[in-house]
Amino acid sequence: GQNIDQPTEMTATEGAIVQINCTYQTSGFNGLFWYQQHAGEAPTFLSYNVLDGLEEKGRFSSFLSRSKGYSYLLLKELQMKDSASYLCAVRDRYGGATNKLIFGTGTLLAVQP
Amino acid sequence: GAGVSQSPRYKVTKRGQDVALRCDPISGHVSLYWYRQALGQGPEFLTYFNYEAQQDKSGLPNDRFSAERPEGSISTLTIQRTEQRDSAMYRCASSLNAGEQYFGPGTRLTVT
């Protein structure tokens, strides 16, 4: 079966650091993506991990452990504009095609002053 | 450059009518995807194309849903005999190859 779990909501303070966790159990795995989605807008790509370890990209970092089926997104120096839903997605396999994304329900992050 | 565009942005239709939703991907993007997103949920995969070939349609809910991409660029998602449960945001995405997917603004479908 396909299962991706992430917390429904989180709250953090402006300037702080927040970690959003994602665990997955999927029939196939070919990479894990994080997307940001502001209310009423389209999801936008943040990061991609296919190998174990940490990928850093400015204020955002993402970590992957394939053996544990676990990833996290780390947001540093939080700003009010970071208030959004953060979606974890696993790229599955389907026969020889590998581009299908399976999304979690998203974590709604509220950044408070 | 221009991103993924979708039309119409909003569609209200009566139950039983057919609707066609259009997606214009980023120029040069090989792969095109259709997702459906309910409020407060992540996008749910429907189908995807490489060029004009439909590689995976395992997410289409039933045979009322179909999609095509005849020339490997613009795609149409068609829902026949719409039902109220089809009401949702329908999103299209495209990617250059197997990389990150870029999402369009979506079509909000309401079936009355």
Side-chain angles (χ1 to χ4, degrees), chain B residues 3-106:
Chain B
V4 178
S5 61
Q6 293 185 243
S7 61
R9 294 290 307 276
Y10 302 91
K11 177 70 178 178
V12 180
T13 190
K14 291 186 186 302
R15 187 179 55 186
Q17 297 293 306
D18 298 351
V19 295
L21 312 181
R22 172 185 165 125
C23 172
D24 198 343
I26 293 172
S27 179
H29 276 196
V30 168
S31 301
L32 183 148
Y33 315 81
W34 284 99
Y35 293 87
R36 180 167 67 176
Q37 187 172 19
L39 200 61
Q41 301 291 316
E44 174 193 11
F45 172 81
L46 296 177
T47 185
Y48 104 89
F49 295 81
N50 270 352
Y51 299 102
E52 71 281 1
Q54 192 170 20
Q55 298 282 3
D56 182 352
K57 55 181 181 179
S58 62
L60 295 177
N62 50 60
D63 60 7
R64 295 186 297 105
F65 287 72
S66 63
E68 62 174 9
R69 194 187 185 198
E71 297 178 0
S73 179
I74 292 168
S75 176
T76 303
L77 176 71
T78 301
I79 309 173
Q80 295 179 313
R81 305 180 302 281
T82 51
E83 301 177 6
Q84 285 188 323
R85 60 178 172 157
D86 299 333
S87 296
M89 176 71 82
Y90 288 83
R91 295 198 185 274
C92 173
S94 70
S95 67
L96 185 57
N97 39 43
E100 63 266 28
Q101 298 178 19
Y102 295 85
F103 283 81

Side-chain angles (χ1 to χ4, degrees), chain A residues 61-80:
Chain A
S61 303
S62 56
F63 172 83
L64 175 67
S65 168
R66 288 172 296 169
S67 62
K68 295 181 180 177
Y70 168 68
S71 173
Y72 68 72
L73 179 70
L74 196 69
L75 292 77
K76 303 174 189 174
E77 302 169 15
L78 280 172
Q79 301 175 10
M80 298 298 290

Side-chain angles (χ1 to χ4, degrees), chain A residues 35 37 41-42 91 97 99 101, chain B residues 33 37 48 91 98 101 104:
Chain A
Y35 280 80
Q37 186 173 26
E41 297 183 8
R91 186 163 61 191
N99 287 353
L101 286 183
Chain B
Y33 315 81
Q37 187 172 19
Y48 104 89
R91 295 198 185 274
Q101 298 178 19

